[in-house]
Amino acid sequence: MHRMMQPSGTSEGLRGLLDSTLLKSVKKVMQNRAIFGPSVLALAINIMATFVHNEPTCLPVIQEAGLPEAFYGIVEKGLEPIIEVIQSVPNAIGALCLNQVGQDQLTARPNIIPSIFSILTSEEHQRVLQEKENAVLIGTSIEELIRHHPSLKDKVFVAIKATMVKIEDFGKAFVPSDDIKHLYRLQPTALPSPMPATSEVEAPMEIDASAAATSTSTQQVRQPGAQPSAEPSPLRDDLYGRPHDNIIIWYIDVFGKFLEGFFQHVPHCRDFVADAEGLDLLARMTSLPCLPYDFANSVGSDSLVQVIRTMAESATTETLAFLTKLVQDSLDECKDFWQTMEEQSKLLPMVEFTAGEDEAKVNERFRKLITLHIRTSLLSDIYATAGYSHGRASTTLLQALLGPKSSPLTDLGSLHRTCVWENIVLKAALAAQEAKVETPAAEATASPSAPSAQEPEAATTSATARPGDAVAANGAATGEPSIPTPPAKKEEKPKDKNANGLKHLVTQIPTSLAPFFQSVVRLFQTRRTSDLSQKQKIKEAAGILADVLVKHLEPLPFRTCTAFVVWS
């Protein structure tokens, strides 16, 4: 029936269908959705919308039959995680709002638009929204809805900001499980204070991340409408190849894809960029504590990059000003890290620390470095893409980096230089500590007496035997294949996990900044003839980058800097 109604020139037939029992059947399907299933429900909604789109004069008859009330009841109760049902809703709303009566019916139900947006933060709908380009298609449908019905624009933008607030609340309340906690926070390696005096004196011991797994898991109780569970479930399988990605990262990914489709209409994208509250919510999303330290290098961040890229294409000046301010704010928060370079590693005290007050300070600094990495990666991705465009866009891109007071290029150059140096001294310090630990252990296991004369002979006989032969007690090969014993997997301690997180940041920040500097240099050459103001901006930016490069090549005033070896 739905296919028969779609071809053009069927208006006469539609009028005949109005007199039949089809409308009653469609209403009955909507009222008994659990019996008929989502596939039949999607067809019923599409039939109702097709009636109106092909013959708008049918809308009063449909309203008298009570179909809008039945349809809105479906949306308010929640949509099934089926893409056909989800896609049919914006189309049906657009059809039912073609007259004043329909608009009044929608206004009387203020929960309709929020109910549609609730699927973006619903764990049940994540699988269907992650498939193909479903989230982008939903964004495109909502964009088309408010383009044809401007009266719904304010409600949609309010729902978008409410969704961002909801994601932020989930992100702040997220508590990672013990097996992945090291990806979000640094772990203390010692207790805050000595244990109470007893008959025996106990030495401080390292805290194992898995030691309190049982007690912690029993305290985590999931409540309806609160923080989603961090425990893996069969529903979450195969969405990502990274087992430590949490559900809030999926929400961010789906929401970013939705905005990508919603921003296809340039005026809507510009309206969002002009909204200071929306930009502030987007900025806070990059600093959520639910983002692991390798988020900038994960697939989950691609949708966020695409959103900023689409915004930069629609409102270049405003978006670049917003992005450079984000980076500058993070640079100011981490100024104690990159402003000066020291002979000793600044991050080494963050590898080993005690629980309590030290833990809070260390993790606050660690989270600021993660935010700085995410925001510099966003800036680099935008310039790496926009840098290939020539003409007027190059002037805007350069102008965003040449502020009236100070240029972020200078600070980013210092950050790049500090991270490279910190990577060297941190790895050297960790290697030195490991060598000090291994040397006493090797001396303790060494035998105090000289080896006997038979031991070299046995070792020689064992060395000449084939790898697959078993060796008898007297050193002779028996010819029987031996079963190789797999090496025992070394368990990582909190110290090792902390070091891996810090090394990742100081390694990846320079890696993300290198394409950014290359893209800025690429802006110096344009196909069109540069005017005087553009030449001045190019000259100013080139001078800043040249100064950064010269400082990179200056020798450090440290006596031990020539003795360091870059550990791979």
Side-chain angles (χ1 to χ4, degrees):
M1 184 64 66
H2 182 233
R3 289 182 178 273
M4 292 175 60
M5 296 170 60
Q6 287 178 340
S8 59
T10 58
S11 58
E12 295 295 333
L14 290 177
R15 293 192 184 97
L17 287 175
L18 286 177
D19 299 330
S20 66
T21 59
L22 180 59
L23 293 182
K24 295 181 180 179
S25 300
V26 169
K27 184 178 180 180
K28 185 171 294 186
V29 170
M30 293 182 182
Q31 293 174 340
N32 301 274
R33 57 195 289 189
I35 298 176
F36 292 96
S39 299
V40 180
L41 176 63
L43 289 173
I45 297 175
N46 286 326
I47 288 174
M48 178 186 66
T50 304
F51 262 120
V52 181
H53 285 307
N54 289 353
E55 184 57 38
T57 57
C58 299
L59 180 56
V61 180
I62 292 176
Q63 292 170 342
E64 291 177 2
L67 266 66
E69 287 79 5
F71 168 71
Y72 290 141
I74 291 174
V75 179
E76 288 179 334
K77 293 178 181 178
L79 300 177
E80 288 83 352
I82 305 296
I83 188 58
E84 290 80 9
V85 176
I86 299 173
Q87 263 189 305
S88 65
V89 171
N91 185 36
I93 293 177
L96 295 177
C97 292
L98 288 179
N99 61 9
Q100 188 61 41
V101 176
Q103 294 177 13
D104 295 340
Q105 288 178 337
L106 181 61
T107 305
R109 296 175 177 265
N111 295 327
I112 296 299
I113 300 298
S115 298
I116 298 174
F117 278 83
S118 65
I119 67 173
L120 300 178
T121 53
S122 168
E123 185 175 351
E124 183 183 7
H125 293 79
Q126 290 305 301
R127 180 175 295 279
V128 64
L129 294 177
Q130 290 283 357
E131 291 177 353
K132 301 179 182 179
E133 296 292 328
N134 290 343
V136 179
L137 295 176
I138 300 302
T140 305
S141 301
I142 298 295
E143 178 274 320
E144 185 178 359
L145 173 64
I146 65 174
R147 183 154 40 90
H148 291 97
H149 300 278
S151 60
L152 301 177
K153 183 177 180 179
D154 292 340
K155 297 180 180 179
V156 169
F157 272 86
V158 170
I160 289 176
K161 289 184 285 188
T163 303
M164 298 173 72
V165 171
K166 194 173 182 180
I167 294 176
E168 182 183 4
D169 293 340
F170 281 154
K172 290 180 178 179
F174 173 73
V175 179
S177 57
D178 292 326
D179 57 334
I180 60 174
K181 187 176 293 184
H182 62 279
L183 298 168
Y184 304 88
R185 296 176 57 85
L186 299 179
Q187 304 299 304
T189 56
L191 296 174
S193 60
M195 300 296 292
T198 56
S199 58
E200 296 181 359
V201 179
E202 298 180 356
M205 60 182 293
E206 290 190 345
I207 299 176
D208 190 357
S210 60
T214 305
S215 61
T216 305
S217 60
T218 56
Q219 297 175 359
Q220 295 179 351
V221 180
R222 184 180 178 186
Q223 300 177 356
Q227 164 62 28
S229 173
E231 298 297 328
S233 64
L235 180 64
R236 306 181 186 180
D237 294 342
D238 302 329
L239 284 181
Y240 283 112
R242 291 152 45 96
H244 61 265
D245 277 337
N246 56 72
I247 188 65
I248 296 93
I249 294 181
W250 302 353
Y251 294 162
I252 296 174
D253 185 33
V254 167
F255 181 71
K257 292 177 180 178
F258 170 84
L259 288 183
E260 180 184 348
F262 184 76
F263 288 163
Q264 294 301 316
H265 189 55
V266 176
H268 295 160
C269 183
R270 290 177 178 172
D271 291 340
F272 179 84
V273 175
D275 189 349
E277 183 182 0
L279 291 181
D280 182 60
L281 290 171
L282 188 62
R284 298 206 298 263
M285 196 176 292
T286 61
S287 60
L288 291 178
C290 65
L291 303 180
Y293 64 73
D294 59 346
F295 174 75
N297 305 105
S298 66
V299 179
S301 65
D302 291 346
S303 59
L304 200 58
V305 172
Q306 187 60 38
V307 170
I308 303 294
R309 189 176 298 164
T310 307
M311 292 166 54
E313 293 175 356
S314 302
T316 307
T317 304
E318 295 81 358
T319 302
L320 292 180
F322 158 73
L323 194 54
T324 52
K325 183 181 181 300
L326 275 187
V327 174
Q328 190 63 53
D329 291 344
S330 292
L331 286 171
D332 294 339
E333 291 179 349
C334 303
K335 185 173 290 187
D336 59 332
F337 169 69
W338 58 264
Q339 194 170 26
T340 58
M341 297 172 59
E342 299 178 1
E343 186 174 0
Q344 303 299 327
S345 172
K346 295 181 180 180
L347 300 181
L348 187 61
M350 300 173 65
V351 176
E352 293 184 275
F353 56 91
T354 58
E357 185 177 354
D358 291 343
E359 180 183 0
K361 293 180 180 179
V362 166
N363 278 291
E364 181 182 2
R365 190 180 185 189
F366 182 60
R367 294 306 312 180
K368 289 180 180 179
L369 290 175
I370 295 175
T371 303
L372 177 61
H373 180 210
I374 294 173
R375 292 178 176 178
T376 52
S377 298
L378 284 175
L379 182 68
S380 178
D381 288 333
I382 298 305
Y383 271 81
T385 304
Y388 286 98
S389 61
H390 299 278
R392 297 179 181 178
S394 60
T395 305
T396 306
L397 294 171
L398 287 176
Q399 181 63 37
L401 299 174
L402 302 175
K405 297 181 180 180
S406 61
S407 172
L409 286 174
T410 304
D411 296 343
L412 290 174
S414 299
L415 175 64
H416 183 277
R417 181 168 56 254
T418 302
C419 286
V420 172
W421 172 250
E422 187 67 30
N423 188 29
I424 297 173
V425 293
L426 178 61
K427 290 183 177 179
L430 293 174
Q433 288 184 355
E434 187 176 355
K436 290 181 181 180
V437 174
E438 291 179 352
T439 301
E443 293 176 354
T445 56
S447 176
S449 59
S452 61
Q454 296 180 354
E455 290 179 355
E457 180 180 356
T460 306
T461 306
S462 301
T464 55
R466 293 191 303 270
D469 295 341
V471 181
N474 59 359
T478 61
E480 298 178 359
S482 61
I483 301 176
T485 303
K489 185 178 180 180
K490 184 180 178 181
E491 183 179 359
E492 284 188 333
K493 298 181 179 179
K495 174 185 174 182
D496 301 326
K497 296 177 180 179
N498 296 342
N500 290 337
L502 295 171
K503 286 189 293 186
H504 178 87
L505 292 177
V506 296
T507 302
Q508 293 301 319
I509 289 179
T511 303
S512 63
L513 285 177
F516 166 73
F517 289 121
Q518 294 171 1
S519 301
V520 173
V521 174
R522 195 181 299 118
L523 296 173
F524 297 163
Q525 183 179 5
T526 59
R527 298 176 182 176
R528 307 174 65 177
T529 303
S530 303
D531 54 14
L532 184 60
S533 61
Q534 186 176 2
K535 289 182 179 179
Q536 183 63 30
K537 291 182 177 63
I538 292 175
K539 183 178 180 180
E540 184 179 354
I544 296 174
L545 289 182
D547 183 64
V548 169
L549 184 57
V550 169
K551 290 182 179 179
H552 276 44
L553 299 177
E554 289 178 353
L556 298 175
F558 305 144
R559 293 179 299 173
T560 57
C561 63
T562 57
F564 281 124
V565 178
V566 181
W567 300 88
S568 60

